[in-house]
Amino acid sequence: MGYKGSKQNSLGLTEALLGKLRQSVSRRMVDPPAADVYEIRPRKDGDGFDLISDQLRHGPIWYSGPDAVRRAVAYAKFRSLSRSRRAIIRVLDHCEAVTH
């Protein structure tokens, strides 16, 4: 009397489970997680900068002072590292052009 179960490979994984595992790995390799995008823009009233992103639930964060841009970039980097993916950070000037 023969065994009527599913075939197993040398590791003991069934073919169905192995197929799901391969599909999951290939899907992760094809679809990388979307990056978080942050923009740092000067405020319209000229008093500091706003950190803007879809990831911020309560709207833009206002930074002022001599090192406002540095603190906004540091916060965006901190948020992206805690979410296990890199952020795209754009710093814009008054003309809406990206600065480096």
Side-chain angles (χ1 to χ4, degrees):
M1 195 159 189
Y3 176 69
K4 291 188 176 184
S6 59
K7 275 186 143 180
Q8 292 186 349
N9 63 5
S10 61
L11 297 176
L13 297 173
T14 63
E15 290 299 320
L17 181 62
L18 192 58
K20 286 182 182 179
L21 182 63
R22 284 185 189 134
Q23 185 180 23
S24 175
V25 169
S26 66
R27 187 179 305 129
R28 274 187 248 140
M29 291 173 65
V30 172
D31 298 333
D36 297 338
V37 178
Y38 293 91
E39 289 185 352
I40 301 169
R41 297 177 180 222
R43 292 177 56 91
K44 291 189 184 338
D45 60 4
D47 188 22
F49 294 86
D50 282 332
L51 177 64
I52 302 168
S53 176
D54 291 339
Q55 304 299 323
L56 302 172
R57 284 189 233 163
H58 302 292
I61 300 175
W62 174 31
Y63 289 92
S64 64
D67 58 346
V69 173
R70 183 184 61 81
R71 290 187 297 140
V73 169
Y75 182 76
K77 284 183 180 179
F78 169 75
R79 288 269 305 189
S80 70
L81 289 175
S82 67
R83 297 178 62 112
S84 301
R85 53 185 159 186
R86 296 261 177 175
I88 297 172
I89 303 170
R90 296 185 187 125
V91 180
L92 305 172
D93 61 5
H94 291 284
C95 300
E96 302 292 322
V98 177
T99 60
H100 295 278

